PDB file of all heavy atoms in Angstrom:
ATOM      1  N   ASN N 100      76.545 377.264 116.997  1.00  0.00           N
ATOM      2  CA  ASN N 100      76.993 378.660 116.988  1.00  0.00           C
ATOM      3  C   ASN N 100      75.847 379.464 116.368  1.00  0.00           C
ATOM      4  O   ASN N 100      75.684 379.457 115.151  1.00  0.00           O
ATOM      5  CB  ASN N 100      78.277 378.830 116.186  1.00  0.00           C
ATOM      6  CG  ASN N 100      78.775 380.255 116.186  1.00  0.00           C
ATOM      7  OD1 ASN N 100      78.039 381.192 116.499  1.00  0.00           O
ATOM      8  ND2 ASN N 100      80.040 380.437 115.846  1.00  0.00           N
ATOM      9  N   LEU N 103      76.839 381.851 113.571  1.00  0.00           N
ATOM     10  CA  LEU N 103      77.529 381.297 112.409  1.00  0.00           C
ATOM     11  C   LEU N 103      77.235 379.790 112.323  1.00  0.00           C
ATOM     12  O   LEU N 103      78.130 378.961 112.526  1.00  0.00           O
ATOM     13  CB  LEU N 103      79.041 381.550 112.540  1.00  0.00           C
ATOM     14  CG  LEU N 103      79.875 381.367 111.289  1.00  0.00           C
ATOM     15  CD1 LEU N 103      79.460 382.364 110.212  1.00  0.00           C
ATOM     16  CD2 LEU N 103      81.349 381.567 111.628  1.00  0.00           C
ATOM     17  N   PRO N 104      75.975 379.420 112.034  1.00  0.00           N
ATOM     18  CA  PRO N 104      75.637 377.992 111.987  1.00  0.00           C
ATOM     19  C   PRO N 104      76.314 377.298 110.810  1.00  0.00           C
ATOM     20  O   PRO N 104      76.379 377.854 109.715  1.00  0.00           O
ATOM     21  CB  PRO N 104      74.114 377.989 111.839  1.00  0.00           C
ATOM     22  CG  PRO N 104      73.773 379.323 111.293  1.00  0.00           C
ATOM     23  CD  PRO N 104      74.842 380.276 111.745  1.00  0.00           C
ATOM     24  N   GLY N 105      76.813 376.114 111.074  1.00  0.00           N
ATOM     25  CA  GLY N 105      77.439 375.322 110.015  1.00  0.00           C
ATOM     26  C   GLY N 105      76.397 374.729 109.083  1.00  0.00           C
ATOM     27  O   GLY N 105      75.187 374.826 109.310  1.00  0.00           O
ATOM     28  N   ASP N 106      76.879 374.088 108.030  1.00  0.00           N
ATOM     29  CA  ASP N 106      75.986 373.494 107.030  1.00  0.00           C
ATOM     30  C   ASP N 106      75.060 372.443 107.633  1.00  0.00           C
ATOM     31  O   ASP N 106      73.883 372.359 107.275  1.00  0.00           O
ATOM     32  CB  ASP N 106      76.798 372.872 105.891  1.00  0.00           C
ATOM     33  CG  ASP N 106      77.502 373.922 105.041  1.00  0.00           C
ATOM     34  OD1 ASP N 106      77.085 375.103 105.081  1.00  0.00           O
ATOM     35  OD2 ASP N 106      78.465 373.561 104.342  1.00  0.00           O
ATOM     36  N   ASP N 107      75.595 371.631 108.563  1.00  0.00           N
ATOM     37  CA  ASP N 107      74.797 370.578 109.190  1.00  0.00           C
ATOM     38  C   ASP N 107      73.616 371.193 109.955  1.00  0.00           C
ATOM     39  O   ASP N 107      72.484 370.748 109.811  1.00  0.00           O
ATOM     40  CB  ASP N 107      75.684 369.752 110.125  1.00  0.00           C
ATOM     41  CG  ASP N 107      74.919 368.626 110.792  1.00  0.00           C
ATOM     42  OD1 ASP N 107      74.250 367.854 110.080  1.00  0.00           O
ATOM     43  OD2 ASP N 107      74.985 368.532 112.042  1.00  0.00           O
ATOM     44  N   LEU N 108      73.887 372.222 110.737  1.00  0.00           N
ATOM     45  CA  LEU N 108      72.824 372.867 111.502  1.00  0.00           C
ATOM     46  C   LEU N 108      71.829 373.558 110.573  1.00  0.00           C
ATOM     47  O   LEU N 108      70.618 373.444 110.756  1.00  0.00           O
ATOM     48  CB  LEU N 108      73.394 373.859 112.513  1.00  0.00           C
ATOM     49  CG  LEU N 108      72.346 374.606 113.344  1.00  0.00           C
ATOM     50  CD1 LEU N 108      71.492 373.646 114.152  1.00  0.00           C
ATOM     51  CD2 LEU N 108      73.029 375.620 114.258  1.00  0.00           C
ATOM     52  N   ARG N 109      72.322 374.233 109.564  1.00  0.00           N
ATOM     53  CA  ARG N 109      71.419 374.892 108.608  1.00  0.00           C
ATOM     54  C   ARG N 109      70.483 373.874 107.954  1.00  0.00           C
ATOM     55  O   ARG N 109      69.294 374.127 107.779  1.00  0.00           O
ATOM     56  CB  ARG N 109      72.217 375.627 107.539  1.00  0.00           C
ATOM     57  CG  ARG N 109      72.760 376.942 107.998  1.00  0.00           C
ATOM     58  CD  ARG N 109      73.310 377.737 106.802  1.00  0.00           C
ATOM     59  NE  ARG N 109      74.086 378.867 107.234  1.00  0.00           N
ATOM     60  CZ  ARG N 109      73.563 380.030 107.616  1.00  0.00           C
ATOM     61  NH1 ARG N 109      72.260 380.183 107.636  1.00  0.00           N
ATOM     62  NH2 ARG N 109      74.350 381.019 107.997  1.00  0.00           N
ATOM     63  N   SER N 110      71.034 372.706 107.595  1.00  0.00           N
ATOM     64  CA  SER N 110      70.214 371.648 106.986  1.00  0.00           C
ATOM     65  C   SER N 110      69.136 371.183 107.952  1.00  0.00           C
ATOM     66  O   SER N 110      67.973 370.988 107.550  1.00  0.00           O
ATOM     67  CB  SER N 110      71.072 370.459 106.580  1.00  0.00           C
ATOM     68  OG  SER N 110      71.923 370.812 105.528  1.00  0.00           O
TER      69      SER N 110
END
Side-chain angles (χ1 to χ4, degrees):
N100 181 343
L103 195 63
D106 291 340
D107 181 51
L108 179 60
R109 281 191 192 279
S110 292

